[in-house]
Amino acid sequence: GLTWRNGTRKKLILYWYQVGGSATSNDLEAKLYQLTARLKGRQDAALLAIAMDCDVNCDAAEKELIKLVEPFNDMYISHVKYK
């Protein structure tokens, strides 16, 4: 995840790409998935992100976000409609 700091406030941001039925948090992989999907006639792609305030050590926040994201990610994949 990424961390963002604004003065004394700190946020942990988890993000990933859903491209052509594949998921990754790597920018280059996402582009490769996009190329492969385009060759197959698919154009579906999304950037998903979720953030949480955290203390100096964001490990606990990361665990909480992962718990929140796992069911959401499965739900997202199951509702994507392909043409």
Side-chain angles (χ1 to χ4, degrees):
L2 300 172
T3 53
W4 174 77
R5 186 183 304 261
N6 183 9
T8 59
R9 296 177 53 197
K10 189 173 180 182
K11 286 196 182 292
L12 174 68
I13 305 165
L14 294 185
Y15 73 94
W16 68 101
Y17 303 95
Q18 295 279 160
V19 183
S22 299
T24 184
S25 60
N26 181 288
D27 297 343
L28 181 57
E29 273 185 17
K31 281 295 180 190
L32 293 173
Y33 287 149
Q34 186 179 27
L35 175 62
T36 304
R38 283 292 208 155
L39 293 173
K40 294 177 182 177
R42 294 178 63 162
Q43 296 183 26
D44 53 305
L47 169 67
L48 295 104
I50 186 168
M52 177 181 271
D53 291 331
C54 63
D55 296 323
V56 176
N57 182 347
C58 292
D59 291 342
E62 185 171 10
K63 288 177 185 175
E64 287 298 315
L65 284 178
I66 289 171
K67 279 190 228 176
L68 289 170
V69 166
E70 286 175 337
F72 173 74
N73 195 35
D74 291 342
M75 180 184 71
Y76 173 79
I77 291 170
S78 68
H79 285 87
V80 171
K81 302 221 185 304
Y82 305 111
K83 293 184 178 186

